[in-house]
C-alpha cells in the first residue's frame, strides 16, 4: 500500500515526540531537530526509508548505502549546502588505514634503531663491563654463559664507599650501603651472566657531561670502585676542585655506585629465581582431550 506524505509526517512527528520525552536534548539539538522537521528534511529521509521498507525483497537495492548516496546526489541542494565541501568517507577510511600502517612501520623502525643504539653502546662499554666481570670471578671475555659473582661486586662497591667516605671526612654510607662485618660468615656467591650485566648497564648508565667533557656514567661507576681513586690530585687540578671537594665527590660517587651494584645483585637474584621455577605441568587428561 502506498504511503502518503501526510501519513509519513504524522508518524514521524509522533516518533519525534516520543523520543523527546524519553531523552532530554540540548537547546541546540532540539532547535536543529525542529528545523529538520519544519523544512521537510526529516520527512524526505523517512519517505525514502519507508519506501525501502515497503518494497518487495527483489526490488530492494543490493547496496543500500550506495542507493541512498545516489538518491541524494541527484537532488537539487540549497546553495548553502551545495557550496559546502562533501566528505568522501571511503577516502577518509583509506587514509586512516594508510596512516595506521605508517604508524606501525615507524614504530618498528624506532625499535630497530633502538636495538642498533643499544648494540653500539654495548660495543663501547664492552671493555669496562668485561673488566668488571673479570675482577669479580668472571672471564671478562664476553659471552652470555660466562658468569661472575654479583655479590662480590656489591661488596667491592660498599667497601669503596666506606673507604672514600673516611678519606673525605664525610658521613659514613647508610647501613645498606656498607659491606658485611669482618666477622660475618662468608655469603654464598650470586652468579650473574654477562647478558644480565649488559641489561643492567643499559638500564643504569648514560653519557654525562663532566667538566666540559662527555663521560659515561659507567666510567664513573668503574672509577668509584678503584682504590687508587683515593689519590685524585691530578683530577683535582683538571676539574678545578680543592682536595676536600674532590674527596667529597669521590665519596658521593662511591656511595652511588654501591646503590647501583645493589640493583645488579637484585637483578641477578631475580634471574636465578626465574630459572629455578619448575615448568608448569600439563593437567591430567589434557593430552587425551587434545587427541580426541
Amino acid at each position: 500500500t502506498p504511503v502518503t506524505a501526510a501519513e509519513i509526517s504524522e508518524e514521524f512527528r509522533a516518533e519525534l515526540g516520543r523520543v523527546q520525552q524519553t531523552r532530554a536534548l540540548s537547546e541546540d539539538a532540539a532547535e536543529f531537530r525542529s528545523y529538520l522537521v519544519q523544512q521537510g528534511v526529516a520527512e524526505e529521509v523517512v519517505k525514502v526509508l519507508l519506501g525501502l521498507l515497503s518494497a518487495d525483497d527483489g526490488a530492494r537495492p543490493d547496496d543500500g548505502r550506495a542507493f541512498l548516496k545516489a538518491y541524494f546526489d541527484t537532488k537539487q541542494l540549497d546553495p548553502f549546502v551545495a557550496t559546502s565541501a562533501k566528505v568522501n568517507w571511503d577516502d577518509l577510511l583509506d587514509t586512516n588505514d594508510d596512516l595506521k600502517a605508517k604508524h606501525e612501520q615507524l614504530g618498528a623502525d624506532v625499535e630497530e634503531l633502538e636495538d642498533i643504539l643499544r648494540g653500539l653502546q654495548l660495543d663501547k662499554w664492552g671493555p669496562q663491563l668485561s673488566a668488571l666481570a673479570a675482577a669479580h670471578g668472571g672471564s671478562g671475555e664476553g659471552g652470555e654463559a660466562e658468569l661472575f659473582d654479583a655479590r662480590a661486586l656489591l661488596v667491592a662497591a660498599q667497601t669503596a664507599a666506606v673507604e672514600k667516605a673516611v678519606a673525605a671526612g664525610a658521613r659514613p654510607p647508610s647501613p645498606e650501603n656498607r659491606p658485611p662485618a669482618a666477622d660475618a660468615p662468608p655469603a654464598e656467591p650470586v652468579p650473574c651472566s654477562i647478558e644480565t650485566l649488559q641489561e643492567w648497564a643499559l638500564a643504569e648508565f648514560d653519557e654525562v657531561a663532566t667538566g666540559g667533557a662527555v663521560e659515561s656514567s659507567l666510567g664513573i661507576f668503574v672509577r668509584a670502585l678503584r682504590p687508587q681513586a683515593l689519590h685524585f690530585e691530578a683530577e683535582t687540578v683538571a676539574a678545578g676542585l680543592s682536595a676536600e671537594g674532590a674527596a667529597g665527590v669521590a665519596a658521593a660517587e662511591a656511595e652511588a655506585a654501591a646503590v647501583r651494584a645493589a640493583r645488579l645483585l637484585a637483578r641477578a637474584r631475580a634471574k636465578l629465581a626465574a630459572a629455578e621455577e619448575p615448568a608448569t605441568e600439563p593437567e591430567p587428561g589434557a593430552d587425551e582431550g587434545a587427541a580426541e
Side-chain angles (χ1 to χ4, degrees):
T1 303
V3 181
T4 66
E7 290 173 333
I8 293 173
S9 299
E10 183 178 352
E11 290 179 7
F12 183 79
R13 289 191 178 90
E15 180 66 14
L16 177 60
R18 186 187 68 80
V19 171
Q20 288 178 329
Q21 290 175 359
T22 56
R23 178 180 178 185
L25 295 176
S26 67
E27 184 177 350
D28 290 343
E31 181 181 351
F32 182 66
R33 177 168 287 186
S34 177
Y35 162 80
L36 293 177
V37 174
Q38 292 174 4
Q39 296 297 319
V41 178
E43 182 176 332
E44 185 74 15
V45 174
V46 173
K47 186 188 299 183
V48 175
L49 296 179
L50 287 179
L52 287 174
L53 177 64
S54 60
D56 295 334
D57 290 342
R60 292 177 182 172
D62 294 332
D63 189 341
R65 179 172 175 271
F67 168 78
L68 290 175
K69 184 177 183 298
Y71 176 83
F72 286 108
D73 277 349
T74 61
K75 301 302 177 183
Q76 181 65 38
L77 298 178
D78 182 270
F80 174 78
V81 180
T83 56
S84 301
K86 289 186 177 181
V87 177
N88 190 321
W89 295 105
D90 291 332
D91 288 347
L92 284 179
L93 290 173
D94 290 341
T95 301
N96 186 55
D97 291 339
D98 290 342
L99 291 175
K100 284 182 178 179
K102 290 178 180 178
H103 176 74
E104 292 175 358
Q105 183 60 50
L106 287 173
D109 291 344
V110 169
E111 290 182 2
E112 183 178 357
L113 289 173
E114 288 177 343
D115 288 341
I116 293 173
L117 180 60
R118 284 191 288 266
L120 292 173
Q121 195 68 73
L122 289 176
D123 288 343
K124 181 178 180 180
W125 291 347
Q128 291 172 306
L129 295 176
S130 296
L132 280 176
H136 301 93
S139 70
E141 298 176 356
E144 297 178 3
E146 298 170 3
L147 304 177
F148 69 98
D149 185 2
R151 186 189 295 279
L153 176 58
L154 173 60
V155 172
Q158 292 171 333
T159 302
V162 171
E163 290 177 350
K164 292 177 183 180
V166 172
R171 62 169 178 78
S174 56
E176 63 271 17
N177 293 329
R178 299 175 195 169
D183 57 352
E188 289 291 327
V190 178
C192 180
S193 68
I194 301 298
E195 179 187 25
T196 301
L197 180 67
Q198 292 174 340
E199 293 173 355
W200 165 79
L202 288 171
E204 290 284 341
F205 303 113
D206 53 14
E207 304 294 323
V208 295
T210 55
V214 176
E215 180 181 17
S216 74
S217 49
L218 174 60
I220 297 174
F221 176 88
V222 173
R223 183 179 68 210
L225 267 61
R226 295 176 187 156
Q228 61 268 32
L230 289 170
H231 306 286
F232 34 70
E233 287 78 3
E235 296 176 9
T236 301
V237 174
L241 296 175
S242 66
E244 293 78 7
V249 169
E253 289 177 351
E255 185 164 3
V259 173
R260 282 177 157 153
R263 287 199 285 264
L264 173 61
L265 178 62
R267 187 183 288 261
R269 282 173 169 165
K271 291 278 188 178
L272 289 174
E276 292 173 358
E277 288 182 359
T280 304
E281 295 291 337
E283 296 183 1
D287 293 340
E288 292 82 350
E292 294 175 3

